Amino acid sequence: MYKDKYRLWCEKATKDQDIIDELKSISGNEELISDAFYKDLEFGTGGLRGVIGAGTNRMNIYTVGQATQGLAEYVNSVTSGGKVAIAYDSRIKSDVFAKVAASIFAANGIKVYIYKELMPTPMLSFAVRHLKCDAGVVVTASHNPAKYNGYKAYGSDGCQLGPEVADYVLSIMEKLDIFEDVKTTDFDTAVNEGKIEYIDDTVIEAYLDNVEKQRVSPQTDLSNLKVVYTPLHGSGNKPVRSILARIGLKNLTVVPEQELPDGNFPTAPYPNPEIRQAFECALKLAKTVNPDLLLATDPDSDRVGIAIRLDGDYKLLSGNDVGVLLLNYTLDRRTANGTMPKNPIAVKTIVSTEICTKIADYYGCKLINVLTGFKFIGEQITMLEKSGEQDRYVFGFEESYGYLIGDHVRDKDAVVASMLICEMTAYYKNLGKTLNVVLEELYNKFGYYYCRQKSFVCEGQSGMEKISAIMENLHNSTVDFIDGERVVKINDYSKSVSTDTVSGQKTVIDLPKSNVISYFLENGSSLIVRPSGTEPKIKLYIGAVGKTASVAEQKLDSLEKAGVSLLGF
C-alpha cells in the first residue's frame, strides 16, 4: 500500500521542489519509502507534528493542507463568516506552512488574521480570543530538533482542540483526497482582497498589557537583579525583552549567538529548556556576566527553563521546582497583598509534583488535577469564565516547563512566566534569599518530594508497535509491589478507573480517557507511565517522597530502576 502512495506522490506532488527532489532521491529505498508512507501523520488534540519531508507521514504543504481543509470545513459547519488567527515560529518552512494554511482558509470563505512575523504560541491563543476568532493555528514543533515541524490547532476559546473536535476534524481529513479536495487561492491576492489581514501592533501591545497585569507583587524593585536570557533562536526574543523592560529590569543580557531566529538551531540541536545542553551558551556567557538568573525560552516561547547561581556555579531547576516556587510565591504574595480571590483555584497535570497539594491546602486554595496537555488547564479556566468566576484561577502548570498566571490566554505562556520568575527572584533576593533557599524551606515545611522523568525513544513503525505493546501489557496486568513497596492504588486513565488495591474498591476517574497508568505506593511515592503525544517516546514519571533530602534521593534512584524494569528496558 505504501508503494502505491509513493507512486501517486511522484505523479501529483508537483508544487514543492524540495518534495520532488526527495521523492526522486528515495527511489528504490524500501525502508525510506515505507517510513514516509506507511501511515498518515496523526492529527489529534496536539494537531500535527512530524519530520519535515515528502510523504503522508511527514510535515509538508500537502499534509498541512489536508489538516487545514479539515479544520476549515469544521469552522464552516459551526458558523458562517468564520474567522481564524495564524502564527508561526522560526522553524524551517514555518512561514511557508502558515501561508499555505492562510490561503486554504481564505479559499474556504474564512477571514484570516496572520501575524506578519514569527510570534510565540501564547500570542496566537491571545489573538484568537482578542479578535473573536472561531479557530487558530500556530505552526511550530515546540522544542523538537530542527528536522521537525508541527501544526497546533485551536478553538474559539483559545485552547488547543479538545478530543471530540479533533476527532471530528480527523474524520473530515480522512475523506479528503490530499491532492484534489484541498481548496486554495493565491496568498498575495487574498491579502489585496482583504480575505487575509496582517495582525497589527495594537494586538501585540494589548497582549503585553495583559501580561503586565499579572504581576503578583508590582512594587518589587528589580533594579538589583541581573539576568542572562536566551530565546534559543526562537520567537521569544522581542516579547520577553519587552515585558522585562516594562517591569523595570535594567540588567538583561541576551545570548548573542542565540538571539536571532534560525530554524536550524546551530547552537542548540535540541532547543529544549528542559536539558542542560540548551543552556551551554548562556552558561558560558554567565562566567563573565555573573547573573543571578538564566532564562531560556523554547522556539515557540510557551516553555521556559531557568538556572540559578549556586556555590559559584549554576543549577538548573526542574519544571516541578519552578512550578512549586511560582505556586507558593503567587499564593503567599497575593495573600499578603490582599489580592487573593475568594475560593482560589490552582491547576496542575497528573504527572506534576504532589507537593503542590500540600502548598495549596496550606493557603486554602483548591487544587485541580487534569490530564497532561495544557489545553486541559485552559479548559478549567474556560469553565470558570462561563460562570463568571475566572478570577478564581490563580495559577496552572505542568512539569514540562509550562506555566500560566492569569486568564489572558488558554495555553502555557513563557512570556508571562519569565516576567513572574524575574519578579519572584528579585523579591527573594531583596530579602536576602535565593530560589534554592526558598525551595529548601518548602521541602522542610511540606516534605521532600523529589521528581524525575525518564524517556525512552522508540522511532519508526517498530518503535510505535513497541510502545503500544508496553502500554497494553501494563493496562492488562496487576502490579502488587514496586521497589519492594506495596502498590496501594492504580489509576488506569485508559479505563477511567481508580483501583484501591488494598480494599479492591474501584472508583470512576472523572477525566477524559487517556493512555496513561499511575501506580501509588504505600509511602506516597509514585510511578506514572504514558507515551508522548508529540514525539516517538514512552515516558516514565518518578515521584519519591522522603522525610529528608537523602532519603528522597535514594528512593528516587531505586524507584527509577524499578520503573525501567517494569517497562522492560
Side-chain angles (χ1 to χ4, degrees), residues 6 23-31 33:
Y6 170 70
L23 289 169
K24 288 178 180 176
S25 72
I26 64 175
S27 177
N29 189 320
E30 293 292 318
E31 185 178 350
I33 293 172

mmCIF file of all heavy atoms in Angstrom, residues 6 23-31 33:
data_model
loop_
_atom_site.group_PDB
_atom_site.id
_atom_site.type_symbol
_atom_site.label_atom_id
_atom_site.label_comp_id
_atom_site.label_asym_id
_atom_site.label_seq_id
_atom_site.Cartn_x
_atom_site.Cartn_y
_atom_site.Cartn_z
ATOM 1 N N TYR A 6 3.454 6.116 -2.669
ATOM 2 C CA TYR A 6 4.690 6.712 -3.168
ATOM 3 C C TYR A 6 4.567 7.040 -4.656
ATOM 4 O O TYR A 6 4.917 8.142 -5.098
ATOM 5 C CB TYR A 6 5.870 5.767 -2.920
ATOM 6 C CG TYR A 6 7.148 6.194 -3.606
ATOM 7 C CD1 TYR A 6 7.846 7.323 -3.189
ATOM 8 C CD2 TYR A 6 7.659 5.473 -4.696
ATOM 9 C CE1 TYR A 6 9.017 7.721 -3.820
ATOM 10 C CE2 TYR A 6 8.833 5.864 -5.328
ATOM 11 C CZ TYR A 6 9.498 6.988 -4.894
ATOM 12 O OH TYR A 6 10.655 7.399 -5.526
ATOM 13 N N LEU A 23 11.508 12.796 -3.276
ATOM 14 C CA LEU A 23 10.849 11.605 -3.825
ATOM 15 C C LEU A 23 11.772 10.890 -4.810
ATOM 16 O O LEU A 23 11.837 9.649 -4.832
ATOM 17 C CB LEU A 23 9.539 11.993 -4.504
ATOM 18 C CG LEU A 23 8.398 12.434 -3.568
ATOM 19 C CD1 LEU A 23 7.252 13.037 -4.365
ATOM 20 C CD2 LEU A 23 7.902 11.261 -2.726
ATOM 21 N N LYS A 24 12.492 11.651 -5.601
ATOM 22 C CA LYS A 24 13.453 11.045 -6.537
ATOM 23 C C LYS A 24 14.609 10.390 -5.788
ATOM 24 O O LYS A 24 15.057 9.295 -6.137
ATOM 25 C CB LYS A 24 13.994 12.120 -7.492
ATOM 26 C CG LYS A 24 12.997 12.603 -8.528
ATOM 27 C CD LYS A 24 13.611 13.694 -9.402
ATOM 28 C CE LYS A 24 12.615 14.190 -10.442
ATOM 29 N NZ LYS A 24 13.172 15.321 -11.249
ATOM 30 N N SER A 25 15.064 11.049 -4.727
ATOM 31 C CA SER A 25 16.252 10.554 -4.011
ATOM 32 C C SER A 25 15.997 9.252 -3.254
ATOM 33 O O SER A 25 16.932 8.483 -3.021
ATOM 34 C CB SER A 25 16.757 11.622 -3.031
ATOM 35 O OG SER A 25 15.876 11.751 -1.922
ATOM 36 N N ILE A 26 14.734 8.986 -2.866
ATOM 37 C CA ILE A 26 14.462 7.755 -2.113
ATOM 38 C C ILE A 26 13.976 6.618 -3.010
ATOM 39 O O ILE A 26 13.643 5.533 -2.525
ATOM 40 C CB ILE A 26 13.437 8.003 -0.975
ATOM 41 C CG1 ILE A 26 12.066 8.405 -1.524
ATOM 42 C CG2 ILE A 26 13.966 9.033 0.008
ATOM 43 C CD1 ILE A 26 10.993 8.543 -0.448
ATOM 44 N N SER A 27 13.949 6.857 -4.293
ATOM 45 C CA SER A 27 13.514 5.822 -5.240
ATOM 46 C C SER A 27 14.339 4.543 -5.051
ATOM 47 O O SER A 27 15.580 4.586 -5.018
ATOM 48 C CB SER A 27 13.677 6.322 -6.679
ATOM 49 O OG SER A 27 13.333 5.315 -7.597
ATOM 50 N N GLY A 28 13.656 3.413 -4.881
ATOM 51 C CA GLY A 28 14.322 2.117 -4.712
ATOM 52 C C GLY A 28 14.722 1.796 -3.291
ATOM 53 O O GLY A 28 15.131 0.674 -2.997
ATOM 54 N N ASN A 29 14.589 2.766 -2.376
ATOM 55 C CA ASN A 29 14.955 2.521 -0.975
ATOM 56 C C ASN A 29 13.681 2.167 -0.194
ATOM 57 O O ASN A 29 12.934 3.044 0.244
ATOM 58 C CB ASN A 29 15.626 3.759 -0.375
ATOM 59 C CG ASN A 29 16.225 3.498 0.998
ATOM 60 O OD1 ASN A 29 15.641 2.794 1.819
ATOM 61 N ND2 ASN A 29 17.397 4.068 1.242
ATOM 62 N N GLU A 30 13.440 0.890 -0.052
ATOM 63 C CA GLU A 30 12.185 0.412 0.552
ATOM 64 C C GLU A 30 11.989 0.927 1.977
ATOM 65 O O GLU A 30 10.877 1.278 2.379
ATOM 66 C CB GLU A 30 12.159 -1.126 0.556
ATOM 67 C CG GLU A 30 12.089 -1.754 -0.815
ATOM 68 C CD GLU A 30 10.760 -1.486 -1.503
ATOM 69 O OE1 GLU A 30 9.717 -1.576 -0.819
ATOM 70 O OE2 GLU A 30 10.761 -1.154 -2.698
ATOM 71 N N GLU A 31 13.066 0.974 2.751
ATOM 72 C CA GLU A 31 12.952 1.401 4.151
ATOM 73 C C GLU A 31 12.523 2.858 4.255
ATOM 74 O O GLU A 31 11.620 3.210 5.027
ATOM 75 C CB GLU A 31 14.284 1.200 4.874
ATOM 76 C CG GLU A 31 14.206 1.512 6.366
ATOM 77 C CD GLU A 31 15.522 1.277 7.096
ATOM 78 O OE1 GLU A 31 16.443 0.689 6.489
ATOM 79 O OE2 GLU A 31 15.625 1.682 8.263
ATOM 80 N N ILE A 33 11.049 4.706 1.881
ATOM 81 C CA ILE A 33 9.709 4.875 1.313
ATOM 82 C C ILE A 33 8.651 4.415 2.308
ATOM 83 O O ILE A 33 7.637 5.074 2.517
ATOM 84 C CB ILE A 33 9.575 4.105 -0.023
ATOM 85 C CG1 ILE A 33 10.481 4.730 -1.087
ATOM 86 C CG2 ILE A 33 8.130 4.094 -0.506
ATOM 87 C CD1 ILE A 33 10.564 3.933 -2.376
#
